[in-house]
Amino acid sequence: MIAPLTFAPEVRTALDAGRPVVALESTIITHGMPYPQNLETARAVEAEVRAHGATPATIAVMGGKIHIGLTAAELETLAQSENAMKVSRADLAVCLAKGAVGATTVAATMICAALAGIAVFATGGIGGVHRGAEDTFDISADLAELGLTPVTVVAAGAKAILDLPKTLEVLETNGVPVFAYGQDEFPAFWSRSSGLPAPLRADTPGEIAAAHLMRARLGLSGGQLVANPIPPEAEIPRAEIVPAIEAALAEAAAQHVAAKEVTPFLLAKIYALTEGRSLAANIALVLSNARLASAIAAEISAAQH
Ligand code: PSU
Ligand code: MN
């Protein structure tokens, strides 16, 4: 039995030739940003990967297949879709078996990238341990996936809608190396600082690639998390973002938002409350992560060929 994968021709060609490929997720498109910024960002991220010498592979589920790389029309359909499933590890097989349209989270994108032979994946933020998890048990499946599936994920840290110390603890429990890129502190998505030291620090794409390849030689399951600080010019001051986060969390609690709806609900509220400023920052950091991921993918492919 083989997994139902279908490759965009340029992705298939790049993988066969051992050239660098960067996987991209699709929940950020359907549940992470509003239309049309979601589509513009998805296109811009793909262009950024190309401009940095790698081939982008945006991943989504359509027609009973895992698509590794989307056509322009497929990307547009997904960006406008209002009923795409948010697909994590738990939903992936169900979505495929039903033939439904599914947007892959960080966890599901990692699974699909590994099946396709792609080592590196760029996104904005990962899911984590939600604030109040001691009562709700709301811990993203992304954290378990990082402990299981051998993909290096480049993100801007985790959003301050989450409990960052608990998120780092769960990553450590799951055996996930967490690097801050170019600094000692773990970055917090909209801001370069979180007040928390990162477990590890990396200053070059080459050392991240070397660690990725060494994990494979050791037969260790699981990937790596690279936390790339938002570019300084795009950073949002804490004084601006903290009230929006608090208001969004309070509204989620008042409306009893739970399970898969929590993260999309909070993101949408925060965009609205900051009048799009947080969305502009989100776009800038995803582009920056795409550049770093392309450089890491290039180092991995150079070391293998
Ligand atoms: N965090 C963000 N933006 C996002 C997400 C998280 O800042 O778009 C998306 C990603 O797809 C991530 C998912 O994998 O939400 C996590 O959802 P949950 O917390 O339900 O696991
Ligand atoms: Mn959750």
Side-chain angles (χ1 to χ4, degrees), residues 10-298:
E10 63 164 342
V11 176
R12 184 69 270 166
T13 305
L15 288 170
D16 288 344
R19 290 203 299 269
V21 174
V22 173
L24 302 166
E25 63 151 308
S26 44
T27 292
I28 190 175
I29 302 173
T30 55
H31 294 74
M33 289 186 185
Y35 184 82
Q37 288 93 342
N38 60 349
L39 179 60
E40 290 158 16
T41 304
R43 288 185 180 141
V45 174
E46 290 193 346
E48 199 75 0
V49 169
R50 285 201 182 88
H52 290 80
T55 301
T58 303
I59 293 178
V61 176
M62 290 175 185
K65 297 251 194 274
I66 297 171
H67 289 245
I68 308 293
L70 301 181
T71 64
E74 287 164 345
L75 199 62
E76 174 105 44
T77 302
L78 199 64
Q80 296 208 38
S81 138
E82 276 167 17
N83 50 12
M85 285 174 73
K86 176 180 165 186
V87 172
S88 190
R89 168 175 279 264
D91 324 280
L92 182 57
V94 177
C95 184
L96 283 161
K98 279 210 272 206
V101 173
T104 51
T105 63
V106 168
T109 305
M110 289 180 73
I111 295 170
C112 299
L115 287 169
I118 301 172
V120 183
F121 161 26
T123 187
I126 60 157
V129 180
H130 280 266
R131 296 204 207 167
E134 57 276 27
D135 295 318
T136 62
F137 276 44
D138 189 349
I139 302 176
S140 176
D142 293 351
L143 301 185
E145 203 61 49
L146 281 158
L148 286 170
T149 301
V151 173
T152 288
V153 178
V154 182
K159 281 203 164 85
I161 56 175
L162 302 171
D163 185 320
L164 299 185
K166 287 193 183 72
T167 298
L168 289 174
E169 290 292 350
V170 171
L171 287 165
E172 183 187 274
T173 303
N174 291 347
V176 181
V178 177
F179 301 92
Y181 190 69
Q183 66 182 31
D184 294 324
E185 217 179 317
F186 185 68
F189 200 84
W190 290 296
S191 103
R192 293 172 64 84
S193 86
S194 65
L196 300 167
L200 297 162
R201 170 180 175 146
D203 292 285
T204 63
E207 50 189 302
I208 298 163
H212 178 102
L213 294 167
M214 186 58 76
R215 285 182 70 85
R217 287 174 65 186
L218 296 175
L220 291 176
S221 64
Q224 311 191 102
L225 177 62
V226 179
N228 185 30
I230 185 170
E233 64 280 7
E235 201 176 14
I236 301 194
R238 262 164 200 274
E240 209 168 307
I241 200 75
V242 169
I245 292 170
E246 299 299 340
L249 287 168
E251 196 155 338
Q255 294 188 29
H256 305 289
V257 179
K260 302 163 71 113
E261 280 74 44
V262 174
T263 299
F265 180 92
L266 294 172
L267 299 180
K269 280 282 168 252
I270 292 167
Y271 294 144
L273 289 166
T274 62
E275 288 165 347
R277 191 160 143 66
S278 64
L279 181 55
N282 199 343
I283 294 167
L285 67 84
V286 179
L287 291 171
S288 165
N289 295 344
R291 293 191 284 277
L292 179 55
S294 301
I296 297 166

